[in-house]
Amino acid sequence: MKTTITPYLLKRRKTADGLYPVYLRITQNRSYSLYSTEIYIEKSMWNKKGNFINRNWIKDHPSADAWNNKIFRIWNEINRIIDENEGIGRKEIVEKLNDDTDSVKIYDYALQHAEKLNDEGKFHPHKQTKVVAEKFKEYAGNITFDEVTPHMLNDFQEYLAKDKKLEEGSIKEGNHPNTIVSNMVKLKAVFKKAMKEGLMKENPFDSSVYEQTKKVDTKKKALSIEQIQSIEDLKLEEGSQIWHVRNYFMFSFWNAGIRFTDLTFLKWKHIKDGRLTYSMGKTDKQKDILLTEPAKEILSYYKDETDTDQDFIFPILPDKKMTVTGYKKKASSQNAIVNEKLKDLQKMAGIDTNISFHISRHSFARWAKAKGLSLDFIGKALAHSKRATTEQYLEDLSEYDADSELERLVNSRGQK
């Protein structure tokens, strides 16, 4: 029995918001059954000349690629059912397509996995897993693990890399290769866990067909001491939000680049005998550093006689009692706000380099190296456990050494 499968815009079922559903029409002996793709689009987005080679039935929408891929996957699934069930009728095909209610969906499973990470206090992996789950659902829909092929994973990486036209007409740039690598690492962890639990027959990540996006070496950005000075010299209204942000950034710089989350959790108990001592959240290592005069000056703005050892130093996190996870979520949202304000500081100081909070750490390393401080000192200040880590860290900043040498050469022109 010959079966024809055709993507089909059902124009007689217009929704209240003016959209039309996309179906796959399964035709046998001049009779047909319809299977919903759960995709709804404007009539103008439908391409009647779309085909299975170009996968171009839907156009002019940010999710067009993902939706076209979904149509193609359902078409493949119908063909698989036909191949495995000789002589099967169109109605039975639809029944088999619908008979997956007991299958675990990737998106649902990924969210459950993310919540477990959250419960374990792994806030950043929790957030990153949720992000990639949303991206994969946007691309593929809420499909099951066994529906994913190695080719699909390769297509997903291409989808992430593409620029996308948003509904208002603006263009959203595709993800950087390193972002794609990070996304795929988190997605692979979800699949690995699901494989252990027997939720799929084969893990597509283990196939030789799957080609992981290559990570790109990126140079660390850092400010010069002159640029740091220009930020320090800005006349800002005391007590304003941007004034506080400068204090956070400079306190980090003068203490060898404190990470933002660690800065938010600093309490007055961490200041003893002119030193700052705290446990670094990323590595759980202890950091102990002498407070310099610029750092002490910043602290003087925040010290109040009513403060206790258990009070936060900087007014970033709320005073009310929260769970550790709650505090970390708040710190993450505050980090985004601070980075936006740092861009304002960047413009005010006439700096071209895009500034984020983490640049304070790179800038300290650049400054310390330019001053001729030893590798061991820099490594200890940055709390690196291995000398090789510090060497690589400074190697990533080596372009600034070339800048300094070039300036020295130019300045020596005409000298004997």
Side-chain angles (χ1 to χ4, degrees):
M1 184 183 341
K2 184 179 180 181
T3 304
T4 304
I5 310 163
T6 310
Y8 181 68
L9 187 68
L10 195 59
K11 297 178 182 177
R12 68 174 183 269
R13 291 190 185 172
K14 183 178 178 181
T15 64
D17 51 357
L19 301 179
Y20 296 85
V22 178
Y23 283 79
L24 280 168
R25 186 170 60 190
I26 306 167
T27 306
Q28 292 175 337
N29 299 328
R30 298 184 180 180
S31 297
Y32 66 85
S33 296
L34 294 175
Y35 179 76
S36 174
T37 64
E38 299 180 354
I39 297 170
Y40 292 83
I41 62 172
E42 296 175 10
K43 190 187 294 185
S44 62
M45 295 176 183
W46 185 249
N47 177 20
K48 292 180 180 179
K49 297 181 180 180
N51 57 70
F52 289 101
I53 296 175
N54 297 320
R55 306 184 199 179
N56 58 345
W57 303 280
I58 301 172
K59 60 183 181 178
D60 300 330
H61 192 280
S63 297
D65 285 347
W67 286 343
N68 285 324
N69 281 326
K70 184 177 183 181
I71 293 170
F72 182 74
R73 284 191 300 278
I74 297 172
W75 177 78
N76 269 334
E77 180 64 12
I78 293 172
N79 279 306
R80 184 190 65 78
I81 291 171
I82 292 170
D83 290 342
E84 293 179 0
N85 300 273
E86 186 177 350
I88 189 171
R90 55 185 172 79
K91 291 182 180 180
E92 287 74 25
I93 292 173
V94 173
E95 286 177 4
K96 283 190 173 293
L97 286 170
N98 289 325
D99 191 25
D100 65 350
T101 53
D102 294 331
S103 300
V104 177
K105 307 289 188 178
I106 295 169
Y107 178 73
D108 301 331
Y109 182 84
L111 291 189
Q112 291 176 6
H113 176 59
E115 287 310 310
K116 288 180 181 177
L117 292 172
N118 192 37
D119 293 341
E120 294 168 4
K122 300 174 181 176
F123 177 66
H124 289 296
H126 154 258
K127 184 178 179 181
Q128 292 163 346
T129 301
K130 286 185 69 175
V131 167
V132 72
E134 293 289 350
K135 289 180 180 180
F136 194 73
K137 183 184 179 185
E138 182 184 85
Y139 161 76
N142 195 13
I143 61 177
T144 64
F145 287 98
D146 280 328
E147 291 180 79
V148 181
T149 66
H151 291 291
M152 191 185 298
L153 294 178
N154 293 337
D155 282 346
F156 177 51
Q157 292 179 99
E158 291 181 12
Y159 168 78
L160 293 176
K162 282 183 180 178
D163 292 346
K164 295 173 180 62
K165 185 177 181 181
L166 303 180
E167 291 183 10
E168 71 272 15
S170 62
I171 300 295
K172 180 182 179 183
E173 289 188 8
N175 294 138
H176 186 277
N178 292 356
T179 302
I180 296 174
V181 170
S182 177
N183 286 165
M184 297 309 287
V185 167
K186 291 295 178 290
L187 187 62
K188 185 176 181 178
V190 171
F191 273 69
K192 185 177 180 181
K193 189 172 188 298
M195 186 71 183
K196 284 184 177 179
E197 295 179 9
L199 299 180
M200 69 184 93
K201 297 172 185 175
E202 294 180 355
N203 189 341
F205 279 95
D206 295 335
S207 170
S208 60
V209 175
Y210 168 61
E211 298 179 1
Q212 171 72 60
T213 297
K214 301 296 183 185
K215 195 169 185 178
V216 177
D217 287 335
T218 55
K219 291 293 183 181
K220 288 181 169 64
K221 294 180 180 179
L223 302 180
S224 66
I225 195 64
E226 290 80 15
Q227 289 172 318
I228 291 289
Q229 189 67 54
S230 68
I231 292 175
E232 276 193 316
D233 291 343
L234 288 173
K235 302 298 182 185
L236 304 174
E237 181 184 349
E238 187 171 329
S240 64
Q241 186 180 32
I242 199 166
W243 177 83
H244 283 296
V245 168
R246 179 178 63 182
N247 287 345
Y248 306 156
F249 184 81
M250 293 310 307
F251 189 80
S252 173
F253 173 80
W254 289 117
N255 287 282
I258 302 175
R259 295 181 178 90
F260 184 78
T261 302
D262 289 338
L263 183 91
T264 63
F265 280 92
L266 288 182
K267 296 183 176 182
W268 289 108
K269 68 178 182 179
H270 297 124
I271 307 292
K272 295 292 182 186
D273 301 323
R275 303 187 71 82
L276 172 64
T277 307
Y278 67 99
S279 181
M280 299 171 67
K282 184 176 181 180
T283 61
D284 208 31
K285 286 188 61 179
Q286 197 77 359
K287 186 168 182 177
D288 186 344
I289 191 167
L290 177 72
L291 285 170
T292 60
E293 287 306 314
K296 289 179 181 178
E297 183 179 351
I298 292 170
L299 288 177
S300 69
Y301 295 127
Y302 296 95
K303 185 63 176 174
D304 186 278
E305 58 184 23
T306 62
D307 285 327
T308 69
D309 282 355
Q310 295 304 315
D311 289 321
F312 292 121
I313 294 175
F314 298 106
I316 302 172
L317 298 177
D319 291 331
K320 64 180 181 181
K321 296 294 182 183
M322 298 175 68
T323 62
V324 172
T325 300
Y327 276 129
K328 286 184 177 180
K329 284 183 178 180
K330 186 65 176 177
S332 179
S333 64
Q334 289 294 99
N335 193 7
I337 293 172
V338 166
N339 281 335
E340 283 301 313
K341 286 297 176 183
L342 283 173
K343 287 178 172 57
D344 293 337
L345 280 174
Q346 169 193 329
K347 292 175 184 176
M348 294 169 70
I351 298 171
D352 292 330
T353 303
N354 287 326
I355 300 178
S356 65
F357 197 84
H358 201 69
I359 277 185
S360 65
R361 186 171 175 82
H362 303 163
S363 301
F364 172 83
R366 176 186 176 183
W367 171 73
K369 186 180 181 184
K371 289 293 183 183
L373 300 179
S374 71
L375 187 68
D376 289 338
F377 168 81
I378 297 173
K380 186 175 181 181
L382 295 173
H384 290 160
S385 56
K386 297 179 181 178
R387 184 184 178 91
T389 304
T390 309
E391 289 174 344
Q392 182 59 55
Y393 203 90
L394 296 180
E395 175 62 28
D396 289 343
L397 295 168
S398 60
E399 63 181 276
Y400 296 111
D401 298 336
D403 293 346
S404 299
E405 292 300 320
L406 183 60
E407 287 177 352
R408 188 179 303 169
L409 178 64
V410 172
N411 292 336
S412 66
R413 201 173 42 162
Q415 296 179 6
K416 293 183 179 179

